[in-house]
Each structure stands twice: as C-alpha cells, then as structure tokens.
Amino acid sequence: MKITPSARVLRMLGEIEFDEWQCIAELIDNAFDDFTEIHRSGTPWAGGYRVSVELPDSAQGQLVITDTGRGMTYDRLERAVRAGWSGNDMHDKLGLFGMGFNVSTARLGKRTRVLTTRQGDTEWIGVEIDLDRIGDDFEAEDITEPKADPNEHGTRIVISRLHPTRAAWLRKNGSALRNILGQVYSWLLLERPFELWIGGFQVKPVRHCRWGENRSVLYNNKERIPAYIEINQKLENGLACGDCGQWQLTDRDTCEDCGSNRLTERERRVHGWLGIQRYMHKNDYGIDFLRNGRKILRWDKQLFTWRNPDGAAGNEEPEYPVDLAHQGGRIIGEIHLDHVPVTYQKDAFEYGDRSWRSAVEIVRGVAPLLPRRAADMGYEENGSPLALLFKAFRRNDAGRRYLVPGDGRKPIHDDTRRWGQEFRRGNPDYQTDERWWQAVEDHEAAKSRGKNAKAAAVTPGRPDEAAVLEALGFGETETGEPSTPASAEDASKLATEAQSPKDLGGSAPASEQRPETRQERVTRYMDSSTTYPALSRSFGHPRVGFVEVETRQLTAGGLIDENLHRTPVLLDQRAGNSLVAFLDLDHPIFQKFGADPADLLLAEVAVLLRVRAETEWSHSELIAAIRAESLPATALDAQLISAEAQELLAEIRHRMVAELDRTGEAEKAYHFLSPDELTATEHAMIANGKVTRTADLGTDGEFLLHVPALFLVRLVESLPSAFMDNRVFQGVYEGVASASARRLSLARTVGYLSDVATQATFAGASLPNQLLRTRLSIRLLADDLAEEK
C-alpha cells in the first residue's frame, strides 16, 4: 500500500507538538465523524456507536483504539492513511486535517496497524506502518485477519513500540485522560448516542453546573435578567471552499486561496448559551467554544477582556472578574462556531478570521462591559448577552440579588464549590439547583431574623444614648434570656402543646392530650427549621468513617431531647450514613456563653462515630481529628483570614466609592491622603494597570479602590457622616443627638474596620487570640454593612 510521503517525513511529523490526549482525540475524531454521518442518515445501527481505547499496561505494551463504525474499503483505507490527503469536508467533520492520523500515530509509537471491516465482509483488511522498516518506495505492508462474525464492522488501530515517555503517561493518567476527553466531547456524549470508553471505564460527559433556566435577578429594581441566556444568531450564508475550507466572497467562482472551483454555499450560525455557574472558582469559569460538537476552547476567558480597536497593541484591559477578582468568576457558556476555521492542533480558532470577529461581536459586543467605561469611551451601553450577565452578576454578595448562597452574613463559596464537586460525581441530591437556591433563601431568612432582632433591641421612646447603648449590646434588654423548662413536666407540656387540638382552633380536655412522639417532634422541627449550609457536609475521619449531615437551624421553639430536656443540638439518624442535626441558636449556651455551633455539633457526631468504630482515640482527640478533616476552613490560618479580610475590604471599598460619587465628596476625601499614602495609591494603581495623573485623582471615588487599607479607617473617622447611618455601615451617627452616643457607635464600627484592615495589610503570622479577634471582627463588620441599595 502506497503511503506517500517517505518514512523520514512521517518520523518528522511525530515531532509536531501534540499532547498525548490530543493524539488520542485525533483518532477518536475520525470515528465520531463516521458515527455522525450514520446518525444523520437515520439508519438504525446495530451494535451502537462505541469507541474503546485500551491503554498500555507496560512499557512494552500497546495502545488500541476500536470503533463500531461502518469500516472502510481498501481504496478508502489507502487514502485515509496517506499523509497529506484529506477526503473530509472541512466544515462538517471533526477530522479536519489529513495529517491528523499520521501526526498522532507517529508521535505515539513507531509501528501502527490499521484493521477495518464492513458488515458482510469475510475478513479484516489493513496495513502495517513500521517507521523503522519503510523505505523510499513508500510502501507499507498489507495485512489481513480472519473474521469470526460476518456481521462485525468497524476499525481497529493498534500502536506499538510506544515512545517511552508517552507510554508512561498513558499508563499513569487514565483518569486524567477520561476527564479531559469528557470535557472535549461532552456535547457529543450528551446530545448523541455516542459512547467513549477508556481503560475499561466509560467516559462521562463533564457537564456545566449552572443555574436553571427559571432563575433570574432583578437589576436596579426594574430589569429582570435571567441566569441563562440562549444565543441563536443566523448569519448570511457564505461560499466555502471544499478543498482548503476558506470562506469566499459571494461573487467568486474559484477559491481566492487555493484556486479550487469546489465552492459550496453553507450556513453560518452562532448558537449556544451563556449562563451563571452555581459556584465561584478561580480557574473553572469562562466560555467553551465548539466546532462540530468538539470543544476547541475550554474555560476560555478572552471575551472578558476589552480590546480598544483604536488603541495600540497591548492595551487590553480585563473587565471580569474585577470585583473580588481573587475569588475567580462564575460566568460560563457553550458557543458553537461550526463555520469558524481552527488551527491544525484544534486548540484555537483562527482569531484573525472575520468569522471569529463577528462571533465575538454577537456574544460580547464591541463596547466595554463596564457602563462607565463605555460612556467615557463614547460607546452606547453594551447590550450583548455577555454584558447583560456581567452587569447582573458581576458582584458576589450573598442573597437573591446576585444568586449567591450565604449563611445569613456572608457567601459560602467553599460549601458551594464542594456541592459542585458532588454535582460532577453524579450525586442525585446535587443535580438540580434546588440546594443552592435553598441556601439563598435560608440566607435571606437568617438575614431578616438578624435585622428583626436588632430592631427589637432598640426600644422607641428612650433617650438617644440609651437606645444606642442597647443596640450595641451594652444595655439591659427587656426580653431576657430564652426560657428553659424548669422540669421534665414543663418540657412535656411544651412538647404536647404543639400537638393539642386547640392549635387547630378547638379545645380538648386534659385527659385527651397525649405526649408528642419522637417522630412527631422531629417532623415539627423539620417544618420549623431552615438549612444551615456552613455545617451541612460530610463529617468524620478515615480512621472512624464518615456521616453525611444535613444541619438545620430551628426558627421557632426549642429542642427537646429523648429525656424531655432542652438541648442545643439534636441528632436524628436517617437511612445509611446520613443524619439530620438540629440547632437551637437561641439556647443559652449560644446566647449567653457564645459557644460555637460547630463545637457542639462535633461533640455529638464524635460520640456517634466513636461508638460505631470502637476506636481507642479519646473523645477530645477524635473531635480534634474530625474538625481538622471536615472543617479545615475554620482553622486560625493567618493567610486564610487575611484573604477573608481582603475580600470584605474589597466590598467595603466599592460601597465607599459609590457613596462618595453619589454625594460628590470624592475630592474632599482625597485630601485626607498623606504624602506617603498618595505615593502608595499611585503605585497600586499603576500595578493594576490604572494609569492616571495625580491631578485627576479625586475627581471621582475610584482612587479608594487602591488606597492603603488603613487609610479607610482614618477616612471613616474623619468623614463619618458620609458612611454611617445605613450609607455604608448600619451604625447610627447623625440619627442621634447625643455626642457620646455618636462616639460610641463610630468607635464600634471603626474598631472592627481597624482589625480587618490591619490583618489585610500585615498577613504574617499572628497569635491565635489575635487571629480569633480578627475573624470575629470580620463577622461583626460584615453584619454591620448596610443593606445594599
């Protein structure tokens, strides 16, 4: 069989840079192309659409790729393995380049056997390409193999004498290979009945964990913007060359690139979707771009950068994520560009092609995503699908406003990322967005309860100073401590009252009242509680096992244990290794002694696991091990707490900027900068690509995004009226007449802010008590932030 060109050229092809997974994908592409033609024809296909990849089991092993396609004739096989030949349509197939087979096989090993058969054939026919034996006659050895079943069909590629480095990678990275190809072919594996098996395991499509089509947010209290936007923009049909694939002007008869007259009118369409991921991630966000069902770009972020068409090269400016950029992003999407040419490695599009540029304009528009920047540059506001999602979801505040789950005070990004992992593993409890949505609703409910508690603490009609003292927790309260049953009889009465017929509007004699059963009590607790996301997770340790805990916070009444005693934590065992843990955060242990709910929950879980595992560990040792394993984020780690401080300060900076711009006091605030602080601000702005003249600083509040953190403390002290009274912070200032009350309210806010700014500035090691104080200040300052307008 002639396989022009020579073996020397084939060996050189093996030096072209292709990763191992790309080599495998080139061979899979050809099988999927065949499957696609069969599937489009509507012909029933015996045996299904399956590609199997057998990985080498040793350094001397072989790689085998088998498909259940139609098989090939001798002539078709000869053309398929000939370097430089391509019988594929450049616009309908994954196997775009005739070199693909030769590059991938030569890069993987020195000997390749290709065997193929069609339904009804009596044998397998094929060719063996041995790079060490083929001479300048360009002839490869024809081979045949007997066929046990005449109905058998498909193609088998066997690559041996593998390159040692690549053979080792394939042996050790079967799981990684499945994950990569599960991403690359996810659309085909989801939308068509194709199967891909690697190393004996089926490749599962890597799906996007996005919010559902029915989720949306209200932008500026007037514009409803969905978390999922479909795109289907049909462009004018164009002429494409059947030989080189280039698009042509519609009035041409021959290809302007290669001279071919094989010009065909074809559809050009940009379609797919953009959406919001259910969790934040530093890397796994961005847009996937596909061609003929294969992902060419994954998690691509280039559309998040605006490039000034009138500027010099290198003037690109990232626009997303900007607010709290260290958290990452959550805008995702899948955009199909079947008409846009790609590079020979299929890892990029031809970005200079006008088809790519027009697709970018459809998806993200031509103007900056930031409305203010667009106005400054003379553009109208960007109304593209990406711009809509950007303006609605650029912030990461917890709650309904941005579809971010929280715990009543702050977002729970670590938890939602963990839930995303469960989604990827196929856990049925995490496939829909209901768990995320419930956490959003629970956050709003907890936040509302906190506001009501604060409002109840300030009793109208008292002098200003007394009201502020009480709001700050320094005065006596009228409500007193939560009531505790004085005896078992009182507890029993509390339990039975909930089941009394009088609750339904009637009355019942005492003799007809019965004690509430445990199941009835648990059902009541379920009905009057909300999920507590921060402590809903797997708890345990490899030495004693794990339990899946759904933690719920009681919203009314108290918890009663088996002995009718009030308890702060109650466990209810469910099927398997799952249980529900109820928390009564109104219990005196929390309200009077400030206990951490995690500590008490860990104590209860440790008892259960210690009994199950019959471990020799002491109770305290087991609790310590479970905390380290299951709640690593609660560690007093200086770097982690500094990141939390910086995240909160970033939010505060943006709110202060907005308030200064609203009131026109930016210039006044600017003049509080000392010379050293001004120099540090300029350095920070330049480092972040914000080049501006010193004379222009203070025209708006944006300079606050770059000032030293401790300057924010001094600015709030110097201009309290600009930021207190529910402007940035809830603390009262102008709302009271007493000067001492003002000083007290301001001191509380400034004290928290000072702790947070200090930790953000000096992220080095600190004593545990200092870190504990900072973490408490972060929580208290977050609670003190005004409701976003």
Side-chain angles (χ1 to χ4, degrees), residues 24 28 79 98 174 204 236 245 250 265 345 373 449 456 523 616 717:
I24 302 294
I28 294 171
R79 292 193 299 270
K204 301 297 184 182
E236 183 181 356
T250 54
E265 183 176 354
Q345 286 182 303
R373 181 181 296 163
R449 288 195 298 272
T523 300
E616 296 179 355
E717 286 182 311

Side-chain angles (χ1 to χ4, degrees), residues 91-223:
H91 293 277
D92 288 337
K93 301 292 179 67
L94 297 173
L96 301 177
F97 303 97
M99 293 289 187
F101 169 83
N102 305 98
V103 171
S104 58
T105 54
R107 190 160 178 79
L108 289 170
K110 290 190 174 183
R111 182 173 64 188
T112 300
R113 292 167 59 89
V114 183
L115 289 157
T116 186
T117 189
R118 297 172 301 166
Q119 189 173 14
D121 288 350
T122 58
E123 62 181 357
W124 291 81
I125 61 171
V127 60
E128 179 175 291
I129 305 171
D130 191 325
L131 299 182
D132 290 333
R133 295 175 55 191
I134 293 177
D136 289 335
D137 57 2
F138 314 148
E139 289 189 358
E141 180 184 353
D142 292 349
I143 56 176
T144 60
E145 284 189 6
K147 184 176 176 182
D149 183 357
N151 291 320
E152 199 173 8
H153 51 80
T155 299
R156 182 167 71 248
I157 301 171
V158 182
I159 305 172
S160 57
R161 298 216 302 273
L162 298 171
H163 188 287
T165 302
R166 295 180 188 107
W169 190 93
L170 292 171
R171 286 200 315 274
K172 298 175 183 178
N173 293 280
S175 178
L177 181 61
R178 284 188 290 273
N179 182 63
I180 294 171
L181 297 181
Q183 296 181 52
V184 170
Y185 295 113
S186 62
W187 188 86
L188 288 169
L189 296 176
L190 282 169
E191 300 298 326
R192 292 179 181 164
F194 298 174
E195 291 184 14
L196 177 58
W197 293 73
I198 294 179
F201 296 93
Q202 186 172 7
V203 174
K204 301 297 184 182
V206 179
R207 298 181 297 122
H208 280 296
C209 182
R210 61 169 176 81
W211 287 95
E213 289 87 341
N214 60 327
R215 305 300 185 191
S216 62
V217 299
L218 190 61
Y219 179 72
N220 278 348
N221 292 319
K222 58 182 180 181
E223 184 181 4

Side-chain angles (χ1 to χ4, degrees), residues 253-264:
D253 296 324
T254 60
C255 174
E256 60 182 338
D257 290 275
C258 70
S260 170
N261 60 0
R262 293 181 57 218
L263 303 184
T264 307

Side-chain angles (χ1 to χ4, degrees), residues 38-105:
I38 301 169
H39 186 255
R40 284 176 176 169
S41 71
T43 304
W45 194 241
Y49 307 91
R50 176 169 175 158
V51 178
S52 300
V53 180
E54 298 177 29
L55 300 176
D57 56 4
S58 67
Q60 290 73 40
Q62 57 188 20
L63 176 72
V64 183
I65 298 97
T66 307
D67 70 59
T68 58
R70 293 173 294 189
M72 293 179 278
T73 64
Y74 183 89
D75 291 341
R76 179 73 174 82
L77 173 63
E78 184 177 29
R79 292 193 299 270
V81 299
R82 184 183 302 162
W85 178 86
S86 177
N88 284 342
D89 189 302
M90 296 290 287
H91 293 277
D92 288 337
K93 301 292 179 67
L94 297 173
L96 301 177
F97 303 97
M99 293 289 187
F101 169 83
N102 305 98
V103 171
S104 58
T105 54

Side-chain angles (χ1 to χ4, degrees), residues 669-728:
Y670 167 73
H671 288 298
F672 285 103
L673 282 168
S674 69
D676 288 344
E677 289 168 336
L678 177 57
T679 299
T681 301
E682 290 177 325
H683 288 171
M685 295 185 77
I686 292 172
N688 287 289
K690 304 288 184 180
V691 181
T692 186
R693 300 181 307 158
T694 301
D696 295 332
L697 291 178
T699 55
D700 57 36
E702 190 174 4
F703 74 95
L704 279 189
L705 301 178
H706 310 280
V707 298
L710 287 168
F711 172 73
L712 300 175
V713 180
R714 189 154 56 82
L715 184 59
V716 173
E717 286 182 311
S718 304
L719 281 179
S721 59
F723 307 113
M724 303 292 285
D725 291 309
N726 276 314
R727 292 180 173 88
V728 174

